[in-house]
DNA sequence: TTGAAAGCGCTAACAG
DNA sequence: CTGTTAGCGCTTTCAA
């Protein structure tokens, strides 16, 4: 193994000089720096991560706590994880992947054993047992998601948060539909488990949806659904029975998107002529759906990237702690159109829905 | 920060004794060990990862290289990743997540900077640039997947591999269908990009499918498809035009599963009465599909687990290097049945396919 | 602009 | 069964 001492010897300088050309923490004369750089290259030197961590008490590692609980849409998690690792690398950090199963213990381990310089925590619930540990920890942490139902409450926890502004996202959906003349809207939400767990984003979306509905005089129905065909079918059927005049749907449940479109097609309800659909989902899902969906995109990449950037800022100097909400962006595609009266019943079956 | 020296002082012993109760590498008297353990607990001591890595040249970290290339089904990757981290933890290892984008450079970094003790490499292609680095590396590595089209060729690379026996998996599908009397089978495969990249598993599956088809006198058609409704519709339509007598489909493409079922329903082809469907996919996909699918399961968890276990064995002592193929398991569900003659054409549209 | 030297916290001979 | 001690490879004062 090539050590810093080897490089120093090869270049005819002291170890500290080599260390300083690597860190750039003091000025080195041109010739010396070149000679050293040359030695580094020819010897193929790489600093030993452990030794560096011990001497500098920095690991250049970020921990990513990613629980995979029921009802979560895996591809979004993955997209965030990838954005995190990619962004981390551009800042010279590696990413340690921790599953949620270890819970608070993982937080203590990272802290106590100095395994990572900072942590990113995903899927935080209201009464998440990791939160106290995080607050007690010396290392910076940023949550992806809010541990509370409002941004103000989140700020009061003293934690650092990054998330989509789901409240505004919900409002944008209703705004869009109201502008098209829809007055009766149904919401197909996340699976019940997600709401029960107290994961803030679902509740915040609902708040935004309801506020906008009230403002526009729109009637709103909300049904949590599991992402299966059967569950979607049951919910949608019930919605149209209870409110036959429903002309628009908002879906916040990636797994339910395709089942929903298949069902509407099967029922002979054309999208968007008979019913408009707005989704809250990643752009990729919206674009590749069997009907390109008007949607507020969940900016998974941006969330992962921002989380890392904030952590890097905090590690560098005194970045302010607080909650950062990403403004929602609604893109109109083929799934929404002007409100139309409900179809006559006899025309509703056996139609070609494509 | 609490150090080993602090614990030693508190317990009235030397540092090495504390170190040895932690590692268990030499016998300690009952009373002493208890006194030390007590000090550890009351002081809340945790060994410093960096210091330990420096002194022992072991990091207790496994690197996981997980490229996310086009055409890959994300949930499977994620399931493997989770199995890897979970299994790793039970053996005392943490997992460093590396994206494929860094390619061979990441391998060199792990190696040179002693960032991890070993690596797990996913989605390996035939001419993967990481392979030479891996072979040159001093640290053990295991690939999830084969870097070649046959297990023998993979073994000759001197690398350690874990994978599903896709060749046998393909054969099992045809065996099952042949036993039900099907003689004309079509295969909907992975996206073209996957085949072009030389990812071995798709080719190996095809080999197995063809061999079994030849053995049973079954006619086989193979079509790579992208996981979109349009692509699936085009492929299936063509299949039935070219081979009207086709009574069974094999799908090896998770993203195509639901589009396929929706399409068949829409075309009025009942599953399994008119057409049988066998999938090669994770159990979860098969079980939750709108028609529960007869399938050879892709044992994502087992693959991740075995990869870690082999690495741990290799790190411990002299475990043999080689290729480990997991035997496929086919589970019969609701999507396959006896072969039936093709439907009369006039009866094929507007039916309720559910 | 460079060097010398003292650790960082832990492990593992070596000695008793 | 336990203690002493010499590093592991790097960073960072302190001196020049």
């Amino acid at each position: 193994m090539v050590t810093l001492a080897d490089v120093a010897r090869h270049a005819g300088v002291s170890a500290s000089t080599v260390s300083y050309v690597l860190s750039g923490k003091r000025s080195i004369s041109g010739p010396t720096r070149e000679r050293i750089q040359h030695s580094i290259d020819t010897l193929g030197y790489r600093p030993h991560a452990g030794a560096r961590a011990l001497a500098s008490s920095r690991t250049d590692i970020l921990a990513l706590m990613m629980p995979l609980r029921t009802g979560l849409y895996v591809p979004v998690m993955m997209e965030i994880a990838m954005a995190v690792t990619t962004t981390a690398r551009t800042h010279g950090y590696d990413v340690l992947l921790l599953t949620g199963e270890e819970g608070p213990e993982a937080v203590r381990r990272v802290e106590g054993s100095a395994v990572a310089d900072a942590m990113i925590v995903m899927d935080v619930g209201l009464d998440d047992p990791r939160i106290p540990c995080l607050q007690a920890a010396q290392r910076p942490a940023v949550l992806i998601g809010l541990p509370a139902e409002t941004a103000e409450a989140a700020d009061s926890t003293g934690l650092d948060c990054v998330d989509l502004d789901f409240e505004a996202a919900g409002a944008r959906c209703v705004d869009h539909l109201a502008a098209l003349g829809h007055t009766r809207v149904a919401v197909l939400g996340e699976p019940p488990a997600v709401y029960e767990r107290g994961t803030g984003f679902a509740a915040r979306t609902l708040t935004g949806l309801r506020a906008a509905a009230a403002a526009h005089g729109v009637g709103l129905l909300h049904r949590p659904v599991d992402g299966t065909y059967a569950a979607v079918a049951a919910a949608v059927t019930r919605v149209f029975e209870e409110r036959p005049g429903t002309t628009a749907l908002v879906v916040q449940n990636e797994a339910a998107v395709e089942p929903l479109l298949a069902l509407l097609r099967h029922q002979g309800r054309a999208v968007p002529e008979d019913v408009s659909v707005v989704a809250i989902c990643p752009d990729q899902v919206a674009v590749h759906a069997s009907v390109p969906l008007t949607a507020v995109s969940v900016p998974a990449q941006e969330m992962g990237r921002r989380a890392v950037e904030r952590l890097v800022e905090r590690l560098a100097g005194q970045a302010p702690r607080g909650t950062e909400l990403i403004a929602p962006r609604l893109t109109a595609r083929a799934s929404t159109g002007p409100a139309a009266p409900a179809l006559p019943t006899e025309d509703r079956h056996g139609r070609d829905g494509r």
Side-chain angles (χ1 to χ4, degrees), chain A:
Chain A
M1 194 209 178
V2 185
T3 72
L4 193 153
D6 296 331
V7 175
R9 204 171 311 123
H10 186 272
V13 296
S14 76
S16 60
T17 305
V18 177
S19 176
Y20 282 119
V21 331
L22 258 56
S23 68
K25 288 188 179 174
R26 82 181 178 192
S27 51
I28 307 288
S29 73
T32 309
R33 116 174 301 103
E34 276 167 31
R35 199 147 34 86
I36 293 176
Q37 189 57 55
H38 177 254
S39 300
I40 289 177
D41 294 341
T42 55
L43 296 182
Y45 167 73
R46 308 238 177 199
H48 186 286
R52 175 172 281 186
L54 177 56
S56 67
S57 43
R58 297 185 60 249
T59 61
D60 292 343
I61 288 181
L62 304 181
L64 175 62
M65 288 201 67
M66 177 162 55
L68 222 42
R69 301 199 274 183
T70 54
L72 294 177
Y73 185 65
V74 175
V76 177
M77 301 298 250
M78 199 63 189
E79 203 176 334
I80 295 179
M82 284 297 157
V84 166
T85 59
T86 315
T87 310
R89 279 309 305 147
T90 74
H91 292 275
Y93 288 91
D94 270 312
V95 172
L96 201 73
L97 182 63
L98 304 175
T99 67
E101 290 155 58
E102 299 179 68
E105 173 56 20
V107 177
R108 286 190 218 100
R109 202 158 51 79
V110 167
E111 171 79 3
S113 289
V115 167
D117 296 337
M119 19 195 340
I120 294 174
V121 181
M122 295 176 66
D123 189 31
V124 195
L126 287 172
D127 53 352
D128 200 303
R130 294 170 298 179
I131 291 188
C133 298
L134 251 22
Q135 288 167 324
Q138 298 305 304
R139 303 173 199 290
V142 14
L143 314 187
I144 295 186
L146 302 193
E149 303 223 344
T150 65
E152 296 73 45
D155 266 345
S156 72
T157 59
L159 293 166
D160 226 359
C161 307
V162 170
D163 205 357
L164 173 64
D165 187 344
F166 279 98
E167 197 169 330
R172 284 307 82 70
C173 295
V174 173
D175 292 347
H176 176 76
L177 292 172
L180 289 168
H182 296 271
T183 54
R184 307 203 140 209
V185 174
V187 180
L188 300 183
E190 299 282 354
V194 172
Y195 294 92
E196 285 156 15
R197 211 157 59 210
T199 312
F201 79 93
R204 287 185 283 132
T205 307
L206 210 49
T207 304
L209 287 161
R210 288 192 174 130
H216 293 292
V218 165
L220 205 71
L221 233 48
H222 172 244
R223 299 281 175 270
V225 291
D226 282 307
T228 66
Y229 190 86
V232 172
V236 171
T237 303
R238 213 176 113 217
V239 161
F240 284 112
E241 277 171 13
E242 294 177 2
R243 278 262 226 297
T246 299
T247 58
L249 298 171
V250 176
V251 207
Q252 180 179 30
N253 185 327
E254 289 84 355
V257 164
E258 278 307 325
L260 171 65
L261 295 175
L263 179 79
L264 294 175
R265 207 180 293 133
H266 182 67
Q267 289 188 334
R269 299 185 197 270
V271 174
E273 290 80 0
D274 302 333
V275 51
S276 285
V277 176
V278 182
I280 300 174
C281 67
D283 263 337
Q284 179 153 2
V285 172
V287 169
H288 288 113
S290 50
V291 179
L293 297 173
T294 295
V296 169
S297 72
V298 174
Q301 302 229 11
E302 186 176 359
M303 287 162 65
R305 188 171 51 71
R306 284 301 302 150
V308 172
E309 286 171 354
R310 299 197 61 180
L311 234 30
V312 171
E313 288 164 18
R314 294 260 321 265
L315 287 169
Q318 269 37 273
R321 199 175 300 197
T323 297
E324 172 176 332
L325 293 183
I326 298 172
R329 219 170 34 73
L330 181 144
T331 304
R333 299 199 182 81
S335 67
T336 49
L343 274 182
T345 312
E346 69 268 36
D347 198 26
R348 195 170 288 156
H349 289 281
R351 284 182 41 171
D352 185 345
R354 298 196 64 229

